[in-house]
Amino acid sequence: MSFTHAELDYLFANHEATEPGAPATELELSKKSMLADLATLRKDCGEHARALVELVLARRSASKKMNPDVAFSWWADNDAVQQATPEPVARWRAQHLVEIGAGKIADVTCSVGTELRSLHSAGLDVIGSDLDLARLRMAKRNVPQVGLFRSDATVPAAQTDVVVADPARRNSSGRINSLADVVPSIADLRAAHGAETEFAIKCAPGIDFNDVREWGGMVDVVSVDRQVKEACVYTPGLVATRVSSTHSSSQRNSTLLRRAVVLREGAEPTVLTSDMPDEVTEGAPGRYLIDPDGAIVRAGLVKHYAAVHGLWQLDHRIAYVTGDVVPAGERGFRILEEVPTKKLRGALAARGVGKLEILVRGVDVDPDVLRKKMKLKGTGEATVVITRVGKAATAFICEAERW
């Protein structure tokens, strides 16, 4: 829940009560303990107990998205944290804008300042605006170095070269699935800020690229530690230098550059682009099945990934690829046996499998239902990959390995 201005006044005036080690931060604050914890806090802070709980829980959630040392002094409510871009993704965007020489930037949906922090830390000239005054008050505490304005996203607060925006993807009815229905609309954003302004617009990772070809120049689909977090559509003036002059036939008909950005803790970012070679074959399975990172799948770059790593496809409609070597840092599934799905139970029983991981792609199979049907009683472990090869569903009994 959002904070009232009275609650923010109290929290700002009593910030020591929110710092690590303060009584409120030591409470469990779980569903089971919440009533008792609130009763404890009310003894000292009365009607402001709820606000303390909201802030502590928001900071705990924020520590999973950003540097914990920063998160535990961050001003935010739970909704703002849930909507915030994870710090690695925001840093990636800031780095990209630095590399292409972006001018003055306005984050017109800045909320409590999560994106602003990364943009400012990268040395960019940035301002922020939001319509929610309570969140702007928190942003002023979080990024005091950045100029902030209260403004609707479609009302320019100042002359800028680049607008970063995160239109709302939820409404009172739930998640918004169509890019045409986000608020404010893409058309309204572009019309409000002038023809010379470039845009970086954050979107849900499952967007239909055909919906942005008219105005987009590049789209990044970004994952963090194998979880796809967002897509960001950049207008043509913000497109990165293209990696290759060799275009596949599918790319010669489109100017939209797609990038899969794979971010992993402790590793350099991996970037695949749609203008890389994508000529791969289909064939019998090699020693391993490999499931490409979700960002690669969502960006439509499975063939490019296979081409880069010397892999091939079992079926051009399926995202699994295969080969005799697993790319460094990836999880592969060493194929032990390939069986028709009707014979899977017997094959697993013969191997003494009792604990089973089931992965499904391109086949209408519920893993939980299938696991119950197997009635496994052994002590061994295995991974079963069920996927479509040609017209038939095939089960691969595998052993998971990480390289």
Side-chain angles (χ1 to χ4, degrees), residues 169 175-181 204 206-207:
R169 300 193 288 272
R175 185 178 297 277
I176 295 172
N177 295 316
S178 172
L179 188 61
D181 297 328
I207 64 168

Side-chain angles (χ1 to χ4, degrees), residues 155-319:
V155 179
Q159 182 61 46
T160 54
D161 303 301
V162 178
V163 165
V164 175
D166 188 4
R169 300 193 288 272
R170 282 186 176 275
N171 57 25
S172 58
S173 300
R175 185 178 297 277
I176 295 172
N177 295 316
S178 172
L179 188 61
D181 297 328
V182 297
V183 181
S185 71
I186 307 299
D188 287 347
L189 276 170
R190 295 179 62 216
H193 292 273
E196 301 301 318
T197 304
E198 301 291 346
F199 290 86
I201 299 180
K202 293 180 267 184
C203 309
I207 64 168
D208 184 337
F209 299 129
N210 291 321
D211 291 341
V212 302
R213 290 186 190 279
E214 181 181 346
W215 58 272
M218 180 178 77
V219 57
D220 280 357
V221 182
V222 189
S223 68
V224 179
D225 295 330
R226 295 195 71 89
Q227 293 188 338
V228 184
K229 296 300 183 181
E230 72 169 35
C232 183
V233 183
Y234 298 90
T235 48
L238 302 181
V239 174
T241 302
R242 290 183 179 265
V243 173
S244 170
S245 59
T246 304
H247 290 63
S248 68
S249 59
S250 63
Q251 289 304 309
R252 282 194 290 269
N253 296 324
S254 172
T255 59
L256 183 70
L257 180 68
R258 290 170 284 122
R259 301 199 303 180
V261 181
V262 178
L263 305 178
R264 304 275 174 84
E265 185 175 1
E268 289 296 311
T270 298
V271 184
L272 286 175
T273 68
S274 57
D275 59 355
M276 287 179 168
D278 65 351
E279 298 299 326
V280 296
T281 60
E282 291 183 39
R287 293 181 62 196
Y288 295 93
L289 290 178
I290 298 103
D291 188 11
D293 188 279
I296 295 168
V297 177
R298 293 287 185 92
L301 301 178
V302 172
K303 288 186 176 182
H304 305 72
Y305 173 80
V308 166
H309 295 290
L311 306 172
W312 60 95
Q313 291 184 292
L314 296 170
D315 187 301
H316 67 276
R317 297 162 296 184
I318 302 298

Side-chain angles (χ1 to χ4, degrees), residues 92 94-102 124 240 259:
W92 168 262
Q95 176 186 332
H96 167 66
L97 293 173
V98 168
E99 289 176 352
I100 64 170
L124 292 160
R259 301 199 303 180

Side-chain angles (χ1 to χ4, degrees), residues 2 17 22 58-61 67 93 103 118 124 137 142 157 161 199 258 269 303 305 312 336 352-353 361:
S2 300
R59 287 176 171 177
R60 290 178 184 176
S61 294
N67 185 328
R93 185 166 22 256
S118 292
L124 292 160
R137 292 181 66 188
N142 292 331
D161 303 301
F199 290 86
R258 290 170 284 122
K303 288 186 176 182
Y305 173 80
W312 60 95
L336 305 176
V353 174
R361 179 162 283 160

Side-chain angles (χ1 to χ4, degrees), residues 117-163:
R117 179 173 177 272
S118 292
L119 293 168
H120 179 266
S121 296
L124 292 160
D125 184 5
V126 60
I127 59 172
S129 62
D130 202 283
L131 197 57
D132 189 318
L133 183 55
R135 290 188 178 179
L136 275 179
R137 292 181 66 188
M138 289 186 278
K140 285 182 180 293
R141 296 263 175 161
N142 292 331
V143 281
Q145 314 93 330
V146 174
L148 296 170
F149 307 86
R150 188 185 188 197
S151 176
D152 183 274
T154 58
V155 179
Q159 182 61 46
T160 54
D161 303 301
V162 178
V163 165

